[in-house]
Amino acid sequence: MGFQAACLVLLLCSGGAPGKPTFRKERVVHPDPQLSNQLHEDNQSFQYDHEAFLGKEEAKTFDQLTPEESKERLGKIVDRIDDNKDGYVTTEELKNWIKRVQKRYIYENVAKVWRDYDLNKDNKISWEEYKQATYGYYLENPEEFQDATDQHSFKKMLPRDERRFKTADLDGDSAATREEFTAFLHPEEFEHMKDIVVLETLEDIDKNEDGFVDQDEYIADMFAHEEGGPEPDWVITEREQFSDFRDINKDGKMDKEEIRHWILPQDYDHAQAEARHLVYESDADKDQKLTKEEILENWNMFVGSQATNYGEDLTKNHDEL
């Protein structure tokens, strides 16, 4: 989602034009349904917990550290999980950490492009910096784009990106921190950006601009129908899905709330469940929060006697993750 403007720059400058898909387009945002492919069987193995706590890829390299080294690195991780630095790790803090680990690829993606946008190297990206990096050629040569009539033309994309940027800019200073810029590029991952995701989806599909998505608009977004050609079976099924499940109030169209139910389904929160499980199993004094000592005492549930290359990141700036 986040790079549609930049991709459009390359597309239009090369003389191309976005075309409709001839295959099924997927708009539903699927939260990671599982934290690990391993079975959650603590009586036999803590592998599920290790992958949830450290990430799947990092868990594969656990066997490089001794138990002592593993516990030392776990202690440093605990310090970072404790957001308010009160000496305790709460279920909420642990849940946030697990979700951050599971979405690590997003932060790595932002780190890769950060320098391209932070033009003055002040460790923030202002709207002006982003606009110049993304739309500079268009702004300097607008005459070359006067015929771009597609919905993804620069004239529509620039104000749309600015609206999204302002929503992500929580402190309203017109400059994005790494977290704010991550929310801008990946709005589907942030609760306060969900309304923007819904609105942009509506704007993409609502061709008659009546503020709703009817069945034909819903299908047209997924399938480029050839004049006179038959619809594939999956399209017929999608029409039934629209009538039976998408159009909740049965008025023949989807409003914003119905679009939200469609593209942002409320699934079981695996990170919350895992955080509760780890706290329950490690909370020796049953005060519903963990000290570093309690976590280290039960260290093998969190990291085991194996290594993780995630430890390498402990020396990096926290904001770079």
Side-chain angles (χ1 to χ4, degrees), residues 169-219:
D169 180 25
L170 291 177
D171 58 10
D173 65 351
S174 297
T177 62
R178 287 181 184 268
E179 189 75 3
E180 290 171 336
F181 197 61
T182 303
F184 170 67
L185 293 182
H186 300 277
E188 68 281 356
E189 303 294 344
F190 292 80
E191 193 61 39
H192 68 281
M193 299 294 290
K194 296 292 178 68
D195 287 344
I196 282 289
V197 175
V198 172
L199 180 58
E200 290 181 1
T201 302
L202 172 62
E203 291 172 345
D204 283 346
I205 305 176
D206 179 22
K207 301 304 184 186
N208 64 10
E209 299 183 350
D210 67 348
F212 300 93
V213 172
D214 60 37
Q215 186 180 111
D216 287 338
E217 290 171 330
Y218 173 78
I219 295 299

Side-chain angles (χ1 to χ4, degrees), residues 57-101:
E57 293 303 316
E58 288 69 25
K60 293 177 182 177
T61 61
F62 273 20
D63 57 359
Q64 297 174 19
L65 292 186
T66 66
E68 290 72 23
E69 291 171 328
S70 188
K71 283 188 279 188
E72 180 183 355
R73 294 195 179 190
L74 174 59
K76 294 178 181 178
I77 291 175
V78 171
D79 291 339
R80 293 172 61 186
I81 298 174
D82 180 15
D83 286 332
N84 62 4
K85 307 304 178 189
D86 66 350
Y88 295 96
V89 170
T90 64
T91 301
E92 184 70 13
E93 287 173 328
L94 195 50
K95 179 192 76 172
N96 291 340
W97 169 263
I98 291 171
K99 286 192 172 185
R100 187 178 182 89
V101 166

Side-chain angles (χ1 to χ4, degrees), residues 10 13 19-20 31 48 73 76 90 119 153 157 159 166 197 210 223-224 244 261 269 281 301 320:
L10 297 175
C13 287
K20 285 187 176 181
Y48 180 100
R73 294 195 179 190
K76 294 178 181 178
T90 64
L119 302 180
S153 69
M157 288 303 301
K166 288 180 177 178
V197 175
D210 67 348
F223 175 65
D244 295 343
H261 279 284
D269 192 336
E281 294 294 336
M301 172 169 279
E320 291 182 358

Side-chain angles (χ1 to χ4, degrees), residues 202-262:
L202 172 62
E203 291 172 345
D204 283 346
I205 305 176
D206 179 22
K207 301 304 184 186
N208 64 10
E209 299 183 350
D210 67 348
F212 300 93
V213 172
D214 60 37
Q215 186 180 111
D216 287 338
E217 290 171 330
Y218 173 78
I219 295 299
D221 181 60
M222 301 178 179
F223 175 65
H225 189 270
E226 296 181 7
E227 196 67 34
E231 289 186 341
D233 289 343
W234 70 262
V235 173
I236 297 172
T237 300
E238 279 297 338
R239 288 191 182 277
E240 295 172 353
Q241 289 282 319
F242 183 93
S243 299
D244 295 343
F245 302 106
R246 310 287 184 237
D247 179 18
I248 297 173
N249 62 9
K250 309 304 178 187
D251 65 351
K253 55 194 177 184
M254 284 194 292
D255 57 24
K256 289 181 182 178
E257 195 57 36
E258 288 168 323
I259 292 173
R260 177 185 290 268
H261 279 284
W262 166 40

